[in-house]
Amino acid sequence: MIKTFIISSKLKNTYRVNSIIYSIKGLPLINKILPSSLYKNKFLKIFGNIISILWEIVSAFLWKGLYVWLVLGSMTFAYKTNQINTFLHIFVFSTLIGEILNTYLLNPTKDKYYSIILMRMDANTFALTNYFYSILKLVIGLMPFTIIIGLMLKVPLLICLSMPFFVALLKIIVIGIFSIPDFKKNKVVKNENLPTTKIWLLLTFLLILGFGFPYLGIVINEIIYIILFFISVILGLISLKEIITFKDYKKIYKVLLTEENVYAVQKASSTKTIRENIAKNIEYDGEITSNKTGFAYFHELFVKRHSKLLTKAIKKQTLTIIGIFTILFVIIFLNPTLKEKLNSLPLIYLPYFVFIMYMLNRGTTITQAMFMNCDHSMLTYRVYRTPNVILGVFKERLKTLILLNLIPALAIAIGLVLLLYLTGGTANNLNYLIIFISIISMSIFFSVHYLVMYYLLQPYNINTEIKNSTYTVVQYLTYFVAYYLIGKKIPTFSFGILMSIFCIAYSLISLFLAYKFAPKTFKIRL
Amino acid sequence: MKLVIKNLKKNFEKKEVLKNINFEFEEGKIYGLLGRNGAGKTTLFNCLNEDLPIDSGEFYLKENNVKKIEADDIGYVLSTPNVPEFLTGREFLKFFIEINKDKIKNEKNIDEYFDFMKIEKEDRDKLLKDYSYGMKNKVQMLVNIIANPSILLFDEPLTSLDIVMQEEMKQMLKSIKKDHIIVFSTHIMELALDLCDEIVILNKGILEKIDKNNLDNDKFKDKIIEALREE
């Protein structure tokens, strides 16, 4: 039993270490220096092992600490009910939610898939040793926090001590009373990572009970908790016997550990799934055609056949923006005293709009669709990669991307100018123009930025996987810069002028770079 | 006309995938490129198509003069057909003809191209996304030969086709070989012997021609396998 546990732990550790090395190899610049023989480098293996063990220890406490602190501790203060009772109330219901979403034993994880399905380890021994290890880790990881946070809220020590066991017992009960008997009877195991509608309804119901009822002043008390705890001890012991004596874990795992289940979560966000979804978005009826020729013909058909994908979100964005400004105008009309406060929105908070324009820009989705449904195939043709064709298509795309993103941008620009005017105007009339130009330049900037980055750093390989870490880093950097500007109160006049100059200069430089380098850089990654 | 490769080298880190390749592929012949898995056949094609940078060496076209290989000179048909799924077969061809207008000699009507590739009338105006694997393969080949490049590289293009389609494609390749340099990689020995005029093997990073020397097919096969086995 111990041998099986050690082997499975070693296996888990090995792929964890390999993942760490893989991440290091994925870093820009560093990946050029590091050889692929890195995986056998002893020093790195030791380093990876240390990180992996440290992570095992830290993760045992970190998430649980955050959970007890944020979900239980902080939320307790959100209600006016008795603190101890509220703490216990939220604890009981969030524990129930947790047990439904992750039983440990029947969670289709990769380590189970590798060990039982691929490496054919003894399923019963693997299941039980790893399960009890996880339960032990759970109790140890939770204990310090239920004690510290519990005592801070004046929860009796014995109750604090019992709480981790309560979580463990409920996990055991879900398996022993529900899952195993259900499998024995119906030969089915549910994938916890893909809850059914019924499960979602149950989770919503528990969420309402746990976090909604305290608002109404309805919470359980210590006595109810103690009763629940003792019931869980009795049912837990019965379940424990069921879990230990059950001998068909192999059969359970054969049903559960299908590739589809194990990779369900990754698959949803994988480029393959994104590609399949984008491919579904091709609209075709014989009527959709184009009178243009060459690149313009090609691009117009792309736009027309993807019109929903390209414009649906933009329509929604624009309507929402118009709606928000309409509400603001009505508020000003009904309550003129708010004018002064709202006047500062366009005059001081313009930096906020960098982030807003970043969020609204559809560059990522559109370039992704361009790759998945068009360039993925076209780039395999050498003729499509000639400078003439690349730049011809690039120009058509740039026009479309700028125009599409300008629709919500115009709504914001006009809305802000009107808002400024209706809330009392400004001493410097140039501000109207600056606000308008800033918003429009920001929109153009992001459109150019996304398209140029796509052409200069084309990140996908033939299997539509992202293979260029620099592209990912640039995406994150864009986000952080936009995010950083939130909360910066800079006068519109100076910020607007600087921003407009920056956007125009950046766009011109990057367009120059795209024209110069895209014929070399715009190709499928190998 | 010849495709001349001189001292071409390509390494992946320390692994020498292509070691000093020296070879001349001639117009009017179909070359069957054979090699074991991982021998570097696709790498060689990727280098010739400039998808991968080479470490050293050169390759060019030679007729009376030496000519640098431009994008228009090369057509590369991948083993997995890649076509833009949002276009119909006809629209895809129209686009390709338009962007290659000045390079196409004796431009034909789109339907004539479809007829040449034996693509049925009812399929020509369907979205490429609804084409079968084999049909996509045919369209990919058609687009690659439409602009009449001097060099055509085929990376195992017939492997997944049914026997009727394979036969059609074989006949098509034979019909165009006169004006092209065709290099055709495959794992299927029978296909290589049946279709190709010359057999070239890529083994341990070296490209070499295997002469038939009046051997019958069985003995020639043994000779090829022996050459591929060599350490």
Side-chain angles (χ1 to χ4, degrees), chain A residues 36 294 297 305 381 385, chain B residues 13 51 74 82 86 91 98:
Chain A
S36 52
Y297 169 78
R305 301 255 158 92
Y381 300 91
R385 294 190 337 242
Chain B
E13 293 177 6
D51 293 329
I74 200 158
N82 280 295
F86 67 97
E91 288 164 348
E98 278 172 5

Side-chain angles (χ1 to χ4, degrees), chain A residues 278 299 302 365-376 397 400-401 451 454-455:
Chain A
I278 293 179
H299 177 68
F302 177 83
T365 317
I366 295 176
T367 49
Q368 202 175 41
M370 282 170 180
F371 182 80
M372 305 290 179
N373 274 6
C374 181
D375 300 336
H376 169 251
R397 288 176 167 180
T400 306
L401 199 57
L451 195 66
Y454 172 55
Y455 269 76

Side-chain angles (χ1 to χ4, degrees), chain A residues 203-258:
Chain A
L203 291 171
T204 316
F205 179 63
L206 289 171
L207 265 175
I208 294 168
L209 287 178
F211 295 90
F213 271 41
Y215 264 116
L216 306 172
I218 306 168
V219 284
I220 64 163
N221 56 28
E222 284 173 60
I223 296 176
I224 296 177
Y225 170 75
I226 292 165
I227 294 169
L228 286 174
F229 180 76
F230 279 108
I231 294 172
S232 74
V233 172
I234 296 162
L235 293 177
L237 288 173
I238 298 168
S239 304
L240 200 59
K241 189 176 168 253
E242 180 74 29
I243 290 170
I244 293 170
T245 53
F246 183 70
K247 296 291 173 214
D248 273 339
Y249 286 107
K250 187 158 192 172
K251 281 185 186 163
I252 281 205
Y253 285 134
K254 282 242 166 177
V255 178
L256 182 70
L257 298 174
T258 58

Side-chain angles (χ1 to χ4, degrees), chain B residues 33 41-49 76 154-155 183 185:
Chain B
L33 176 63
K41 300 185 293 291
T42 305
T43 303
L44 175 64
F45 282 173
N46 284 334
C47 288
L48 295 175
N49 198 39
Y76 181 16
F154 292 92
D155 191 2
V183 190
S185 90

Side-chain angles (χ1 to χ4, degrees), chain A residues 35-36 284 293-295 297-298 301-302 305-306 373 376-378 380-383 385-386 462 523 526, chain B residues 13 49-52 71 74 78 82-84 86-88 91-92 94-95 98-100 125 127 140 144:
Chain A
S36 52
Y284 180 66
T293 55
F295 321 121
Y297 169 78
F298 179 73
L301 283 176
F302 177 83
R305 301 255 158 92
H306 294 85
N373 274 6
H376 169 251
S377 51
M378 293 305 291
T380 59
Y381 300 91
R382 183 84 185 266
V383 177
R385 294 190 337 242
T386 52
I462 193 80
K523 53 185 177 185
L526 288 171
Chain B
E13 293 177 6
N49 198 39
E50 290 183 29
D51 293 329
L52 277 177
I74 200 158
L78 303 175
N82 280 295
V83 287
F86 67 97
L87 295 179
T88 64
E91 288 164 348
F92 187 33
K94 178 180 177 309
F95 170 64
E98 278 172 5
I99 61 169
N100 288 295
D125 294 293
L127 277 188
Q140 185 187 220
N144 268 293

Side-chain angles (χ1 to χ4, degrees), chain A residues 44 122 131 142 146 182 197 200 235 245 265 270 285 287 304 317 324 352 365 373 403 419 422 425:
Chain A
L44 262 175
D122 180 69
Y131 180 58
L142 270 175
T146 53
D182 188 32
T197 319
W200 278 119
L235 293 177
T245 53
V265 179
S270 73
D285 75 57
E287 307 277 305
K304 284 185 173 174
Q317 285 175 355
I324 291 171
Y352 268 93
T365 317
N373 274 6
L403 280 175
L419 187 71
L422 293 173

